[in-house]
């Protein structure tokens, strides 16, 4: 599994417009082969963190190179982000706990 951690900060006054674009990218990601999951969070200090999981490097790369996703990345750099960072990680261990099971 490949886990991408995307951290960003938005410029003032763009959050509502950005969330429309982010929701479209969320829906598009779900249609990609190898997609597993994603979740996005806003921290109290304004940082946004999105965690995305794909089955393999190849499927994650296909998402990264998707033409609509690339156009959204460009628009976000030009209009929404004051800063961002991307970390792409290979899963080494996966431990889970569920009290109900």
């Amino acid at each position: 599994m490949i886990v991408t951690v995307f951290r960003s900060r938005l410029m003032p006054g763009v959050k509502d417009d950005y969330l429309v674009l982010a929701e479209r990218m969320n829906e598009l990601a779900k249609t990609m082969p190898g997609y597993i999951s994603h979740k996005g969070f806003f921290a109290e200090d304004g940082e946004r963190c999105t965690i995305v999981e794909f089955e393999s490097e190849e499927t994650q790369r296909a998402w990264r190179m998707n033409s609509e996703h690339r156009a959204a990345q460009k628009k976000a750099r030009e209009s929404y982000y004051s800063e961002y960072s991307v970390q792409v990680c290979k899963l080494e261990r996966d431990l889970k706990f569920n009290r109900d099971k």
Side-chain angles (χ1 to χ4, degrees):
M1 178 188 316
I2 301 297
V3 178
T4 302
V5 179
F6 180 72
R7 299 169 66 165
S8 63
R9 290 187 186 276
L10 300 176
M11 293 187 291
V14 300
K15 185 175 179 180
D16 291 341
D17 288 342
Y18 171 77
L19 290 176
V20 172
L21 181 63
E23 181 58 30
R24 172 62 191 141
M25 291 302 100
N26 293 341
E27 292 305 314
L28 181 60
K30 290 177 185 178
T31 71
M32 297 295 295
Y35 168 86
I36 297 172
S37 74
H38 74 274
K39 290 187 179 182
F41 308 90
F42 276 100
E44 289 180 14
D45 67 358
E47 182 180 47
R48 179 172 165 81
C49 180
T50 302
I51 301 168
V52 185
E53 299 173 328
F54 275 90
E55 290 176 356
S56 66
E57 289 183 62
E58 294 77 22
T59 58
Q60 188 271 348
R61 186 177 307 110
W63 165 240
R64 182 171 43 91
M65 300 307 293
N66 174 279
S67 61
E68 187 176 350
H69 185 211
R70 301 283 291 180
Q73 291 171 341
K74 183 177 188 295
K75 180 176 182 170
R77 279 191 305 273
E78 293 170 352
S79 303
Y80 301 129
Y81 297 137
S82 63
E83 63 182 275
Y84 69 84
S85 68
V86 181
Q87 298 168 312
V88 179
C89 313
K90 290 183 184 180
L91 184 68
E92 291 188 24
R93 185 175 18 253
D94 188 12
L95 306 171
K96 297 180 181 178
F97 171 80
N98 185 329
R99 185 170 305 281
D100 295 335
K101 290 186 179 180

